[in-house]
Amino acid sequence: MSQIGTIYGQALYDLALEEGLTELILQQLQVVKSCLDAEPQYPALLSSAALSKPERCGLLDESMGCLHPYLLNFLKILTEKGYVRRFSDCHRTYQQCYYRDNNILPVTAVTAIALSPRQSERLQEKLSSITGKAVLLSNKVDASLIGGIRLDYDGRQVDDTISHRLDSVRQLLKNTVL
């Protein structure tokens, strides 16, 4: 994560916290991120030297005028400073601050097949009871795992997949002297 993303994301979070708008701004940040991810040329346009700063800010007013004024002004500042390409870093910092303050732990469960709603619910409950945090669970499918589950959270990985177990056995056999 960039230093710019950390500084600006934290500043936006501090403002939103002071005004009691952290959840609203987070929701709108996620919408903006989805839009920018879907249209990767838009940040390039907002960074283009071919347009003046007022023109670039005008584009934001036209396309994102429905956002909360704090967020819209934040995007304008990023655009004017030439940091709009660091938006994802700002979003990530803001989200981390929100999750920290609201005791939320995002967890990605990687499985060979998609978890059923019931399995997701049970796993989320179990992880919440273990961690003491509200777990925000997402599921990614990776058929190469063969079976089992890998949990990714807080920069850690708990791997209980069949492919991991097979790799462990393979490594053990490789290092065994007969």
Side-chain angles (χ1 to χ4, degrees):
M1 191 173 333
S2 71
Q3 185 177 7
I4 291 166
T6 301
I7 291 169
Y8 280 79
Q10 182 68 54
L12 179 62
Y13 184 78
D14 291 344
L15 174 64
L17 184 62
E18 199 174 289
E19 297 293 326
L21 298 168
T22 55
E23 188 173 351
L24 173 68
I25 299 293
L26 177 63
Q27 291 169 353
Q28 290 187 356
L29 274 169
Q30 290 168 332
V31 169
V32 171
K33 183 174 181 333
S34 296
C35 291
L36 294 180
D37 288 347
E39 293 296 333
Q41 303 86 2
Y42 194 67
L45 177 65
L46 293 175
S47 301
S48 173
L51 297 174
S52 68
K53 287 180 184 179
E55 288 175 317
R56 289 182 269 161
C57 289
L59 288 173
L60 285 169
D61 283 329
E62 289 175 27
S63 62
M64 300 195 187
C66 61
L67 296 174
H68 189 280
Y70 290 161
L71 182 53
L72 182 59
N73 287 336
F74 176 76
L75 292 170
K76 287 178 182 179
I77 290 169
L78 290 181
T79 299
E80 288 174 352
K81 298 278 187 186
Y83 297 151
V84 76
R85 293 182 188 265
R86 300 286 185 207
F87 174 80
S88 289
D89 293 339
C90 297
H91 172 262
R92 192 174 310 112
T93 296
Y94 186 100
Q95 189 174 53
Q96 288 171 347
C97 292
Y98 181 84
Y99 287 168
R100 179 196 65 226
D101 288 355
N102 290 281
N103 206 28
I104 297 171
L105 178 64
V107 177
T108 302
V110 185
T111 55
I113 59 171
L115 294 173
S116 71
R118 177 73 181 131
Q119 289 171 322
S120 291
E121 182 182 317
R122 289 179 56 213
L123 179 59
Q124 195 168 3
E125 289 171 2
K126 181 72 173 174
L127 292 172
S128 289
S129 69
I130 291 170
T131 63
K133 296 184 177 191
V135 172
L136 185 61
L137 186 66
S138 61
N139 183 210
K140 287 187 181 175
V141 175
D142 180 356
S144 71
L145 298 180
I146 305 170
I149 189 168
R150 186 181 78 217
L151 300 174
D152 299 329
Y153 64 96
D154 259 355
R156 296 182 217 152
Q157 195 175 77
V158 178
D159 196 340
D160 192 31
T161 60
I162 293 174
S163 64
H164 177 71
R165 290 180 190 180
L166 289 172
D167 287 342
S168 297
V169 170
R170 185 178 303 114
Q171 195 63 26
L172 179 69
L173 291 173
K174 185 177 176 183
N175 293 332
T176 303
V177 178
L178 297 175

mmCIF file of all heavy atoms in Angstrom, residues 31-32 35-36 39 42 45-46 55-67 72 75-76 79:
data_model
loop_
_atom_site.group_PDB
_atom_site.id
_atom_site.type_symbol
_atom_site.label_atom_id
_atom_site.label_comp_id
_atom_site.label_asym_id
_atom_site.label_seq_id
_atom_site.Cartn_x
_atom_site.Cartn_y
_atom_site.Cartn_z
ATOM 1 N N VAL A 31 -18.810 1.579 -3.918
ATOM 2 C CA VAL A 31 -19.470 1.793 -5.204
ATOM 3 C C VAL A 31 -18.502 2.469 -6.187
ATOM 4 O O VAL A 31 -18.385 2.057 -7.338
ATOM 5 C CB VAL A 31 -20.757 2.638 -5.028
ATOM 6 C CG1 VAL A 31 -21.308 3.087 -6.379
ATOM 7 C CG2 VAL A 31 -21.803 1.853 -4.257
ATOM 8 N N VAL A 32 -17.788 3.479 -5.705
ATOM 9 C CA VAL A 32 -16.822 4.176 -6.561
ATOM 10 C C VAL A 32 -15.740 3.209 -7.015
ATOM 11 O O VAL A 32 -15.366 3.191 -8.195
ATOM 12 C CB VAL A 32 -16.202 5.396 -5.835
ATOM 13 C CG1 VAL A 32 -15.046 5.976 -6.628
ATOM 14 C CG2 VAL A 32 -17.262 6.457 -5.582
ATOM 15 N N CYS A 35 -17.013 1.040 -9.739
ATOM 16 C CA CYS A 35 -17.113 1.803 -10.997
ATOM 17 C C CYS A 35 -15.738 1.990 -11.635
ATOM 18 O O CYS A 35 -15.588 1.811 -12.849
ATOM 19 C CB CYS A 35 -17.748 3.163 -10.743
ATOM 20 S SG CYS A 35 -19.493 3.083 -10.301
ATOM 21 N N LEU A 36 -14.751 2.349 -10.821
ATOM 22 C CA LEU A 36 -13.405 2.566 -11.365
ATOM 23 C C LEU A 36 -12.776 1.257 -11.837
ATOM 24 O O LEU A 36 -12.037 1.250 -12.827
ATOM 25 C CB LEU A 36 -12.515 3.240 -10.322
ATOM 26 C CG LEU A 36 -12.909 4.671 -9.924
ATOM 27 C CD1 LEU A 36 -11.944 5.224 -8.879
ATOM 28 C CD2 LEU A 36 -12.995 5.588 -11.120
ATOM 29 N N GLU A 39 -14.333 0.529 -15.203
ATOM 30 C CA GLU A 39 -13.904 1.464 -16.245
ATOM 31 C C GLU A 39 -12.484 1.949 -15.949
ATOM 32 O O GLU A 39 -12.278 3.078 -15.493
ATOM 33 C CB GLU A 39 -14.861 2.665 -16.308
ATOM 34 C CG GLU A 39 -16.248 2.326 -16.769
ATOM 35 C CD GLU A 39 -16.303 1.824 -18.197
ATOM 36 O OE1 GLU A 39 -15.419 2.198 -19.005
ATOM 37 O OE2 GLU A 39 -17.213 1.056 -18.513
ATOM 38 N N TYR A 42 -11.185 5.502 -16.859
ATOM 39 C CA TYR A 42 -11.664 6.716 -16.194
ATOM 40 C C TYR A 42 -10.589 7.349 -15.307
ATOM 41 O O TYR A 42 -10.376 8.562 -15.396
ATOM 42 C CB TYR A 42 -12.945 6.421 -15.413
ATOM 43 C CG TYR A 42 -13.679 7.668 -14.993
ATOM 44 C CD1 TYR A 42 -14.273 8.506 -15.939
ATOM 45 C CD2 TYR A 42 -13.782 8.027 -13.664
ATOM 46 C CE1 TYR A 42 -14.938 9.664 -15.563
ATOM 47 C CE2 TYR A 42 -14.447 9.179 -13.282
ATOM 48 C CZ TYR A 42 -15.025 9.993 -14.231
ATOM 49 O OH TYR A 42 -15.680 11.133 -13.859
ATOM 50 N N LEU A 45 -8.268 9.133 -17.513
ATOM 51 C CA LEU A 45 -8.848 10.388 -18.001
ATOM 52 C C LEU A 45 -8.726 11.477 -16.928
ATOM 53 O O LEU A 45 -8.383 12.615 -17.236
ATOM 54 C CB LEU A 45 -10.317 10.180 -18.379
ATOM 55 C CG LEU A 45 -11.086 11.415 -18.852
ATOM 56 C CD1 LEU A 45 -10.507 11.934 -20.159
ATOM 57 C CD2 LEU A 45 -12.561 11.087 -19.005
ATOM 58 N N LEU A 46 -8.981 11.104 -15.677
ATOM 59 C CA LEU A 46 -8.891 12.070 -14.582
ATOM 60 C C LEU A 46 -7.449 12.495 -14.308
ATOM 61 O O LEU A 46 -7.217 13.493 -13.638
ATOM 62 C CB LEU A 46 -9.522 11.503 -13.308
ATOM 63 C CG LEU A 46 -11.029 11.286 -13.347
ATOM 64 C CD1 LEU A 46 -11.495 10.595 -12.067
ATOM 65 C CD2 LEU A 46 -11.782 12.588 -13.566
ATOM 66 N N GLU A 55 -11.645 21.073 -15.546
ATOM 67 C CA GLU A 55 -12.382 20.163 -16.440
ATOM 68 C C GLU A 55 -12.467 18.768 -15.835
ATOM 69 O O GLU A 55 -13.513 18.124 -15.882
ATOM 70 C CB GLU A 55 -11.707 20.098 -17.810
ATOM 71 C CG GLU A 55 -11.871 21.348 -18.645
ATOM 72 C CD GLU A 55 -11.087 21.303 -19.935
ATOM 73 O OE1 GLU A 55 -9.908 20.855 -19.911
ATOM 74 O OE2 GLU A 55 -11.643 21.722 -20.969
ATOM 75 N N ARG A 56 -11.351 18.304 -15.267
ATOM 76 C CA ARG A 56 -11.343 16.977 -14.649
ATOM 77 C C ARG A 56 -12.289 16.931 -13.441
ATOM 78 O O ARG A 56 -13.017 15.959 -13.252
ATOM 79 C CB ARG A 56 -9.933 16.582 -14.241
ATOM 80 C CG ARG A 56 -9.061 16.266 -15.453
ATOM 81 C CD ARG A 56 -7.694 15.830 -15.065
ATOM 82 N NE ARG A 56 -6.840 17.024 -15.007
ATOM 83 C CZ ARG A 56 -5.692 17.108 -14.387
ATOM 84 N NH1 ARG A 56 -5.223 16.075 -13.731
ATOM 85 N NH2 ARG A 56 -4.981 18.211 -14.406
ATOM 86 N N CYS A 57 -12.292 17.982 -12.644
ATOM 87 C CA CYS A 57 -13.197 18.043 -11.488
ATOM 88 C C CYS A 57 -14.649 18.149 -11.963
ATOM 89 O O CYS A 57 -15.553 17.598 -11.324
ATOM 90 C CB CYS A 57 -12.836 19.216 -10.584
ATOM 91 S SG CYS A 57 -11.294 18.951 -9.690
ATOM 92 N N GLY A 58 -14.860 18.818 -13.088
ATOM 93 C CA GLY A 58 -16.199 18.895 -13.675
ATOM 94 C C GLY A 58 -16.712 17.522 -14.087
ATOM 95 O O GLY A 58 -17.904 17.227 -13.947
ATOM 96 N N LEU A 59 -15.810 16.686 -14.593
ATOM 97 C CA LEU A 59 -16.193 15.310 -14.939
ATOM 98 C C LEU A 59 -16.675 14.553 -13.701
ATOM 99 O O LEU A 59 -17.635 13.789 -13.762
ATOM 100 C CB LEU A 59 -15.012 14.573 -15.569
ATOM 101 C CG LEU A 59 -14.607 14.983 -16.970
ATOM 102 C CD1 LEU A 59 -13.312 14.285 -17.379
ATOM 103 C CD2 LEU A 59 -15.716 14.663 -17.955
ATOM 104 N N LEU A 60 -15.990 14.777 -12.591
ATOM 105 C CA LEU A 60 -16.407 14.132 -11.340
ATOM 106 C C LEU A 60 -17.780 14.635 -10.903
ATOM 107 O O LEU A 60 -18.621 13.843 -10.466
ATOM 108 C CB LEU A 60 -15.378 14.375 -10.231
ATOM 109 C CG LEU A 60 -14.099 13.571 -10.330
ATOM 110 C CD1 LEU A 60 -13.056 14.081 -9.340
ATOM 111 C CD2 LEU A 60 -14.371 12.094 -10.094
ATOM 112 N N ASP A 61 -18.004 15.932 -11.020
ATOM 113 C CA ASP A 61 -19.318 16.490 -10.667
ATOM 114 C C ASP A 61 -20.417 15.850 -11.503
ATOM 115 O O ASP A 61 -21.482 15.498 -10.985
ATOM 116 C CB ASP A 61 -19.342 18.012 -10.879
ATOM 117 C CG ASP A 61 -18.625 18.766 -9.772
ATOM 118 O OD1 ASP A 61 -18.620 18.276 -8.619
ATOM 119 O OD2 ASP A 61 -18.067 19.843 -10.061
ATOM 120 N N GLU A 62 -20.159 15.691 -12.802
ATOM 121 C CA GLU A 62 -21.158 15.117 -13.709
ATOM 122 C C GLU A 62 -21.400 13.640 -13.434
ATOM 123 O O GLU A 62 -22.534 13.184 -13.427
ATOM 124 C CB GLU A 62 -20.717 15.293 -15.163
ATOM 125 C CG GLU A 62 -20.774 16.711 -15.667
ATOM 126 C CD GLU A 62 -20.217 16.840 -17.076
ATOM 127 O OE1 GLU A 62 -20.258 15.849 -17.839
ATOM 128 O OE2 GLU A 62 -19.731 17.934 -17.405
ATOM 129 N N SER A 63 -20.327 12.883 -13.232
ATOM 130 C CA SER A 63 -20.476 11.432 -13.120
ATOM 131 C C SER A 63 -20.735 10.948 -11.697
ATOM 132 O O SER A 63 -21.329 9.891 -11.505
ATOM 133 C CB SER A 63 -19.226 10.732 -13.673
ATOM 134 O OG SER A 63 -18.087 11.092 -12.909
ATOM 135 N N MET A 64 -20.288 11.714 -10.700
ATOM 136 C CA MET A 64 -20.404 11.233 -9.328
ATOM 137 C C MET A 64 -21.010 12.281 -8.400
ATOM 138 O O MET A 64 -20.769 12.261 -7.196
ATOM 139 C CB MET A 64 -19.027 10.804 -8.822
ATOM 140 C CG MET A 64 -18.441 9.701 -9.660
ATOM 141 S SD MET A 64 -17.073 8.912 -8.871
ATOM 142 C CE MET A 64 -16.509 7.852 -10.170
ATOM 143 N N GLY A 65 -21.820 13.151 -8.962
ATOM 144 C CA GLY A 65 -22.427 14.225 -8.189
ATOM 145 C C GLY A 65 -23.382 13.758 -7.106
ATOM 146 O O GLY A 65 -23.718 14.511 -6.203
ATOM 147 N N CYS A 66 -23.817 12.494 -7.172
ATOM 148 C CA CYS A 66 -24.761 11.974 -6.172
ATOM 149 C C CYS A 66 -24.054 11.514 -4.890
ATOM 150 O O CYS A 66 -24.710 11.177 -3.914
ATOM 151 C CB CYS A 66 -25.572 10.830 -6.762
ATOM 152 S SG CYS A 66 -24.563 9.431 -7.280
ATOM 153 N N LEU A 67 -22.728 11.519 -4.873
ATOM 154 C CA LEU A 67 -21.974 11.099 -3.689
ATOM 155 C C LEU A 67 -22.076 12.143 -2.590
ATOM 156 O O LEU A 67 -22.366 13.314 -2.845
ATOM 157 C CB LEU A 67 -20.497 10.897 -4.043
ATOM 158 C CG LEU A 67 -20.161 9.798 -5.038
ATOM 159 C CD1 LEU A 67 -18.676 9.842 -5.370
ATOM 160 C CD2 LEU A 67 -20.560 8.441 -4.497
ATOM 161 N N LEU A 72 -17.064 13.319 -2.616
ATOM 162 C CA LEU A 72 -16.870 13.972 -3.907
ATOM 163 C C LEU A 72 -15.677 14.925 -3.848
ATOM 164 O O LEU A 72 -14.824 14.920 -4.733
ATOM 165 C CB LEU A 72 -18.136 14.721 -4.331
ATOM 166 C CG LEU A 72 -18.097 15.406 -5.687
ATOM 167 C CD1 LEU A 72 -17.813 14.403 -6.809
ATOM 168 C CD2 LEU A 72 -19.402 16.132 -5.952
ATOM 169 N N LEU A 75 -12.435 12.982 -3.860
ATOM 170 C CA LEU A 75 -12.059 12.554 -5.209
ATOM 171 C C LEU A 75 -11.483 13.716 -6.022
ATOM 172 O O LEU A 75 -10.543 13.546 -6.787
ATOM 173 C CB LEU A 75 -13.260 11.937 -5.929
ATOM 174 C CG LEU A 75 -13.750 10.604 -5.372
ATOM 175 C CD1 LEU A 75 -15.082 10.215 -5.998
ATOM 176 C CD2 LEU A 75 -12.719 9.519 -5.568
ATOM 177 N N LYS A 76 -12.039 14.896 -5.809
ATOM 178 C CA LYS A 76 -11.518 16.077 -6.501
ATOM 179 C C LYS A 76 -10.101 16.398 -6.036
ATOM 180 O O LYS A 76 -9.237 16.747 -6.846
ATOM 181 C CB LYS A 76 -12.433 17.282 -6.273
ATOM 182 C CG LYS A 76 -13.734 17.198 -7.032
ATOM 183 C CD LYS A 76 -14.608 18.407 -6.729
ATOM 184 C CE LYS A 76 -15.936 18.341 -7.432
ATOM 185 N NZ LYS A 76 -16.772 19.512 -7.118
ATOM 186 N N THR A 79 -7.778 14.016 -7.612
ATOM 187 C CA THR A 79 -7.631 14.367 -9.023
ATOM 188 C C THR A 79 -6.711 15.571 -9.190
ATOM 189 O O THR A 79 -5.796 15.555 -10.023
ATOM 190 C CB THR A 79 -9.015 14.653 -9.645
ATOM 191 O OG1 THR A 79 -9.803 13.461 -9.551
ATOM 192 C CG2 THR A 79 -8.899 15.059 -11.095
#
